[in-house]
Amino acid sequence: MIEEIKKSINSILYERVSSPLFGTFIVSWLIWNWKICYLTFFVDSDKIELNKIDYIIKNFSQIEYLIWYPIISTIILITIIPFASNGAYWLNLWFSQWKIDKKKIVEKKQLLTIEQSIQLREQVSDMEKRFDNLLSNKNNEIKQLELTIDELRQSNEKVKSTPTSSKTNEKEIKELALRINQNTELKNALDKINFYIQGGYTGIAQDQKLSSKLLNYFESNDIISNSGKGMYELTNIGKKVNKYILDVDFS
């Protein structure tokens, strides 16, 4: 029971002392009444004419020192001083920024030394060299790409200019000629196309006996090609197909 009471009292005292209000009031009271503390702890009773309590009551019991001055001091310490402290902090920040700004202004107006000028010139020269090297490398890459594009273009032109007959072997052409010669519809259509081409006529597409299906067949097998304005012409493969068919017919 006693231990619990002691713990309760200690907890209350700790709470009061650690509280900003009570802590500040205790400090203020001790400052205003330091003589009472000094007399209580450091002065012997033999050196005063009364006992300590009566002496304190007689000489240090003014109400303003015991209550009002500590209360006023507590109010000042809790309210006014924090505002003043924050004001001083912001003033310090403003002054520090002001010094930094002034330093920058002075440094901008300050002339470079010879060593600094030489060092700066060397840095600029190095940057120019790096830029020139980078630009040269990019130009070389562009030239290389242009050469590659030219090579591809020339290769493509060669492929286009290469006769189709060179890509098609003779065996495939013979098989195509044999297939046409054995199909009456295809054979008659090819004879009709040869008639129009040899005569220089332009009515192949309008001929009802030559359906679009037949024309597509001969075009897709690269036997004929449309030269424009309704005119058709025999390709190299078409000429060879005709030759193989004529050889068969006259053999």
Side-chain angles (χ1 to χ4, degrees):
M1 185 67 180
I2 297 175
E3 291 295 330
E4 292 179 359
I5 294 173
K6 288 174 61 178
K7 290 181 180 179
S8 179
I9 294 172
N10 291 333
S11 176
I12 294 172
L13 292 175
Y14 176 78
E15 183 180 355
R16 294 294 185 268
V17 173
S18 59
S19 174
L21 177 61
F22 288 99
T24 306
F25 179 78
I26 291 171
V27 172
S28 299
W29 192 91
L30 292 175
I31 292 173
W32 286 105
N33 299 279
W34 65 272
K35 293 180 180 180
I36 296 176
C37 297
Y38 180 78
L39 179 65
T40 302
F41 296 105
F42 300 104
V43 178
D44 294 333
S45 300
D46 298 337
K47 296 182 178 181
I48 56 178
E49 56 187 14
L50 302 173
N51 59 55
K52 289 184 178 182
I53 295 176
D54 293 335
Y55 188 82
I56 290 172
I57 293 173
K58 179 181 179 180
N59 296 284
F60 306 109
S61 60
Q62 295 89 341
I63 189 67
E64 59 270 18
Y65 283 93
L66 293 176
I67 297 178
W68 295 116
Y69 290 166
I71 290 176
I72 294 172
S73 300
T74 300
I75 294 172
I76 292 173
L77 292 173
I78 290 177
T79 58
I80 298 176
I81 290 180
F83 286 105
S85 178
N86 290 332
Y89 175 73
W90 285 109
L91 182 63
N92 181 56
L93 290 178
W94 177 83
F95 184 72
S96 299
Q97 186 63 41
W98 179 80
K99 288 196 300 182
I100 293 172
D101 295 339
K102 291 300 180 182
K103 183 179 179 182
K104 289 180 180 179
I105 294 172
V106 173
E107 288 177 350
K108 288 181 180 179
K109 295 181 179 180
Q110 186 177 2
L111 296 176
L112 296 176
T113 62
I114 297 177
E115 290 79 6
Q116 291 175 337
S117 300
I118 294 173
Q119 185 178 4
L120 182 60
R121 189 178 295 110
E122 290 177 351
Q123 292 177 355
V124 173
S125 178
D126 292 338
M127 291 178 64
E128 290 177 349
K129 289 180 180 179
R130 287 198 296 270
F131 178 76
D132 291 338
N133 292 332
L134 181 61
L135 184 61
S136 177
N137 292 334
K138 293 300 180 182
N139 289 331
N140 291 333
E141 291 179 2
I142 293 173
K143 290 180 180 179
Q144 187 65 32
L145 290 174
E146 290 177 349
L147 292 175
T148 303
I149 292 172
D150 291 337
E151 291 176 357
L152 292 174
R153 186 182 294 111
Q154 292 175 2
S155 177
N156 190 27
E157 291 176 354
K158 289 181 180 179
V159 171
K160 289 182 178 179
S161 62
T162 302
T164 310
S165 59
S166 64
K167 296 181 181 179
T168 308
N169 55 47
E170 296 295 327
K171 183 178 179 180
E172 292 177 346
I173 296 175
K174 288 182 180 180
E175 291 177 351
L176 179 60
L178 181 61
R179 189 162 55 251
I180 294 173
N181 195 41
Q182 292 176 349
N183 189 303
T184 303
E185 185 180 9
L186 292 175
K187 180 69 166 53
N188 293 334
L190 182 59
D191 291 339
K192 180 70 70 172
I193 291 172
N194 286 326
F195 172 77
Y196 276 105
I197 291 176
Q198 291 172 0
Y201 301 114
T202 61
I204 294 179
Q206 287 75 30
D207 194 321
Q208 295 180 355
K209 294 182 179 180
L210 294 174
S211 63
S212 60
K213 183 177 179 181
L214 290 171
L215 290 176
N216 288 334
Y217 176 83
F218 290 114
E219 284 191 65
S220 62
N221 284 282
D222 201 20
I223 295 174
I224 61 174
S225 63
N226 191 343
S227 59
K229 296 182 179 179
M231 295 289 294
Y232 283 86
E233 59 183 6
L234 289 171
T235 64
N236 290 331
I237 294 177
K239 292 177 182 179
K240 288 187 178 183
V241 167
N242 274 336
K243 181 178 181 302
Y244 287 131
I245 293 176
L246 289 174
D247 289 342
V248 173
D249 291 341
F250 290 101
S251 61

